[in-house]
Amino acid sequence: LLKNPKVAIALSVTFFVFIGYSVVNTYTTPFLTTAMSMGETEVSTILFAIGIASLFGSKIGGFMADRIGTNRTLVISMIAHALALALLSIAVKSVFVAIALLMLWAIAAWAFAPTQNFNLLSISPEASGIMLSLNATFVQLGFAAGAGIGGIAVNSSSILAICWIGAVSVAVAIFVITV
């Protein structure tokens, strides 16, 4: 299946999107405590809200795919994901704007996930189980790579660098899917 260019490209998009998600998700707590000077209670509340936003994102992704199509949903969710991360590093001084951007980021990232599953199933419906397994593998590889890249960035630069790295990774995915 990986020899099929459509499958390989779609899985590379999954990989880059989840690098973009993981580089920030892994370091959300240090981002909130360092860049936004929040305490434990505030961080816990925001992490809970991000979790709820991700649930809404999954639901919204399926709804949008049904209404406007898979490809448009994928592109819109990736654009929202990249923009939210790019703006987050700029809006870090405004708590309310930053929290709204974190919610948008979670919604966009998880609107992508079920839509990408459907996209992969439509590419190779005869191998649905394997396709979902491959996609899950690329999600996990993206998580691992994003966490590692984020660690390097935080250690050698600034906590704000994770936002830009995440945005660039998702922008690479947008470039791949549009080309």
Side-chain angles (χ1 to χ4, degrees):
L1 290 171
L2 292 173
K3 291 180 184 178
N4 179 341
K6 285 185 178 181
V7 171
I9 288 168
L11 291 172
S12 72
V13 168
T14 296
F15 179 69
F16 284 110
V17 166
F18 282 98
I19 286 175
Y21 177 77
S22 176
V23 76
V24 175
N25 186 58
T26 304
Y27 299 94
T28 302
T29 298
F31 175 80
L32 294 172
T33 57
T34 305
M36 297 182 65
S37 302
M38 293 190 173
E40 283 183 28
T41 304
E42 295 154 317
V43 169
S44 294
T45 303
I46 292 171
L47 291 175
F48 179 73
I50 289 171
I52 298 299
S54 67
L55 290 173
F56 281 112
S58 292
K59 195 75 165 164
I60 290 168
F63 178 79
M64 285 177 53
D66 288 343
R67 297 284 186 239
I68 65 171
T70 304
N71 290 337
R72 289 174 71 191
T73 302
L74 288 171
V75 171
I76 290 168
S77 69
M78 289 187 292
I79 289 170
H81 186 159
L83 283 174
L85 290 180
L87 293 173
L88 183 58
S89 67
I90 297 167
V92 72
K93 297 295 181 205
S94 172
V95 173
F96 292 111
V97 173
I99 291 170
L101 289 169
L102 284 168
M103 299 303 109
L104 175 61
W105 161 70
I107 290 169
W110 290 105
F112 173 87
T115 309
Q116 181 68 331
N117 279 335
F118 180 77
N119 181 47
L120 285 163
L121 292 177
S122 67
I123 292 171
S124 190
E126 71 283 352
S128 60
I130 294 170
M131 290 303 294
L132 292 176
S133 177
L134 282 171
N135 194 48
T137 299
F138 278 79
V139 167
Q140 295 304 317
L141 289 171
F143 277 151
I149 292 166
I152 292 166
V154 168
N155 190 40
S156 63
S157 180
S158 157
I159 192 73
L160 294 177
I162 62 173
C163 299
W164 289 107
I165 292 168
V168 167
S169 183
V170 178
V172 168
I174 294 167
F175 176 77
V176 169
I177 201 169
T178 54
V179 170

